[in-house]
Amino acid sequence: MKILYKDNDIIVVFKEAGIAVQSSRIGTKDLISELKNTIAESGSGAPYLGMVHRLDQPVEGIMVFALNKKSAGELSKEVGGNGMEKIYTALVTSDVEPSKSECRLVDYLLQDRKSNSSLIVTEEVKGSKKAELLYSATGRYKSGGYILKVKLLTGRHHQIRVQLSGHGMPIIGDRKYGGEAASQLMLCASHLSFLHPLSGRKMEFDITPSFLS
C-alpha cells in the first residue's frame, strides 16, 4: 500500500495486485484493515473509512476512500452519476494489432457467483447486464503484447477482463479468461479523477503500472 494523498476528508492509495480490498476471513490481509491500522497509529483514534468503489483482488491501482460520512455520500454520488473517471492500463495478447483509435465495446454480461466469473451472453438472457467500455492501443510492449488504455462506462463484475478476452484480447496473467501465464494480472487502475467531496476541486491521480515500470 502506498498513500498518494490524504486530508481530513479523503485518502487516496495505490493498491498492490493480490491484496483484497475487503476480506471476511479472519487473519487475511486486506487493504481496508491495513488503512485503518495506519490511520489509527497516527493517533487519530478509531478511524471512519468509507469504501465507495472496488478493485478486484488481482488488479492493482488507485483507489479513494472517504474519511467521514459526508465525504462518503458525495463520492458515492459521483460514482453513481459517472462523475468519477477511472482509466485502466492493460497488457494484452492479440492476433491482430488493436486499433490506436478509440473503440467502443458493448456486450451483455452474466455473472456466475458460484465460479466467481462472468461471461458474454445475449441481451435476452435473464439476469444479463449491459457492459460498455472504450479502449485504444498506446503501443507494443518490449517483451510482447499490446498496451491498452481502457475507460469503463459501466461497472460490471470482471468487466474489462471478460470483454477484452471475448473480443480476442485476453489480458496477460488472466488465466481465468484465457490469458497467458504471468507473475500477475497485467491490469492496473492507472488514472483516477473526481471532484473533492467538500471543496469541489478536481483531483487527478496517475501512476505507472508495476508491470511497465
Side-chain angles (χ1 to χ4, degrees):
M1 181 189 66
K2 179 181 179 182
I3 296 176
L4 305 178
Y5 176 86
K6 181 181 181 297
D7 60 23
N8 292 329
D9 304 298
I10 62 172
I11 184 168
V12 180
V13 302
F14 174 77
K15 182 188 87 68
E16 294 181 355
I19 302 298
V21 175
Q22 188 176 37
S23 176
S24 59
R25 292 186 294 175
I26 298 175
T28 302
K29 183 179 178 181
D30 65 79
L31 183 63
I32 287 181
S33 296
E34 292 293 311
L35 273 173
K36 285 184 175 181
N37 289 338
T38 299
I39 296 170
E41 287 171 1
S42 67
S44 54
Y48 174 93
L49 197 65
M51 182 171 63
V52 297
H53 66 120
R54 294 177 178 271
L55 276 182
D56 292 343
Q57 184 169 340
V59 181
E60 66 179 28
I62 306 169
M63 297 189 71
V64 59
F65 293 88
L67 295 180
N68 52 63
K69 290 184 178 180
K70 184 174 182 179
S71 295
E74 293 299 319
L75 287 173
S76 294
K77 289 178 185 177
E78 288 195 54
V79 174
N82 296 319
M84 184 178 288
E85 182 181 62
K86 293 174 280 187
I87 297 177
Y88 294 73
T89 300
L91 186 58
V92 305
T93 52
S94 176
D95 293 333
V96 179
E97 183 175 359
S99 174
K100 293 182 179 179
S101 300
E102 193 170 66
C103 301
R104 181 186 296 260
L105 297 182
V106 181
D107 296 292
Y108 284 84
L109 305 186
L110 182 66
Q111 181 178 354
D112 182 350
R113 296 186 183 278
K114 289 184 178 179
S115 63
N116 188 32
S117 63
S118 292
L119 68 156
I120 296 176
V121 297
T122 61
E123 181 180 358
E124 293 76 21
V125 173
K126 185 178 179 180
S128 64
K129 295 182 179 180
K130 189 177 183 180
E132 293 186 68
L133 60 77
L134 302 173
Y135 80 89
S136 59
T138 62
R140 188 79 189 265
Y141 190 54
K142 57 187 178 182
S143 63
Y146 297 94
I147 303 168
L148 301 187
K149 179 177 72 173
V150 183
K151 181 179 180 180
L152 281 176
L153 301 180
T154 55
R156 307 304 181 201
H157 180 256
H158 292 178
Q159 181 178 335
I160 296 175
R161 300 164 64 184
V162 177
Q163 285 195 274
L164 291 183
S165 177
H167 290 269
M169 298 174 288
I171 299 173
I172 296 174
D174 193 359
R175 300 298 296 274
K176 183 183 285 279
Y177 296 106
E180 296 178 5
S183 58
Q184 71 175 85
L185 177 66
M186 306 301 186
L187 179 63
C188 174
S190 53
H191 171 86
L192 180 68
S193 65
F194 56 92
L195 298 180
H196 192 281
L198 267 71
S199 69
R201 179 166 61 98
K202 186 171 184 180
M203 311 290 291
E204 291 190 86
F205 300 90
D206 293 274
I207 198 160
T208 300
S210 65
F211 50 85
L212 294 182
S213 59

